[in-house]
Amino acid sequence: MKSCYIYARVATEIQQKRGDSIEAQIKSLKNLAEDKNLAVKRVYWEVKSGIDKNRPELSKMLKSIKENKAKAILCTSLDRLSRNIEDLTNILKLAEEKRVRIVTPSRVYGYHTDGSFSNEILSLFSGYQKRMLSERVKRGVQLKKLQKMQQKAA
């Protein structure tokens, strides 16, 4: 049985309290490991933005990958690993170099199924999602400001 790491992340404490909590991700990924006949070696999790480059748990996991300590990373989606195109591309390249699969509930990424070209395309989509999320957050902030101004005027 091949060993794997689980990586779970949410960006904020508010998200942690909603449906896609760390606990929900870990439970889902442990079930996925069982389905894929993978032994979970360690679970890494953190409450940090996917854009933030200073994520200690991700760094520890990647260090272990560099040391060939597992053959798969399980995460609920690629954007859990990073929302930064450059960082995600580097993680995918490391996985390819070390022959590590990245497994999500909907897809397996890695040396045996997808080429680097496919991974680069997926990285671009992750960046697009990041920009769309940023735009939605900015619109939400603007809407809140407008609502406050309207309340003061009333």
Side-chain angles (χ1 to χ4, degrees), residues 27-62:
K27 182 179 179 183
S28 169
L29 294 169
K30 283 184 176 179
N31 289 336
L32 180 62
E34 189 176 318
D35 291 346
K36 299 284 185 183
N37 200 30
L38 296 167
V40 177
K41 193 168 188 174
R42 182 162 175 195
V43 174
Y44 295 90
W45 64 271
E46 52 201 339
V47 179
K48 287 268 200 180
S49 169
I51 299 169
D52 191 344
K53 290 184 183 234
N54 182 23
R55 289 189 281 146
E57 293 301 301
L58 179 65
S59 296
K60 287 177 196 173
M61 183 184 71
L62 295 177

Side-chain angles (χ1 to χ4, degrees), residues 2-23:
K2 292 186 178 184
S3 62
C4 71
Y5 295 132
I6 286 177
Y7 183 77
R9 180 190 64 75
V10 293
T12 66
E13 289 292 338
I14 293 169
Q15 286 177 312
Q16 172 62 6
K17 293 174 184 168
R18 290 193 314 220
D20 199 25
S21 69
I22 296 287
E23 293 83 9

Side-chain angles (χ1 to χ4, degrees), residues 49-52 79 82-86 123-137:
S49 169
I51 299 169
D52 191 344
D79 68 0
S82 184
R83 288 195 177 267
N84 175 299
I85 293 173
E86 183 180 347
S123 293
L124 293 173
F125 282 118
S126 179
Y128 173 75
Q129 286 179 318
K130 179 185 95 172
R131 287 189 302 278
M132 296 307 296
L133 177 64
S134 177
E135 288 176 19
R136 285 194 301 268
V137 169

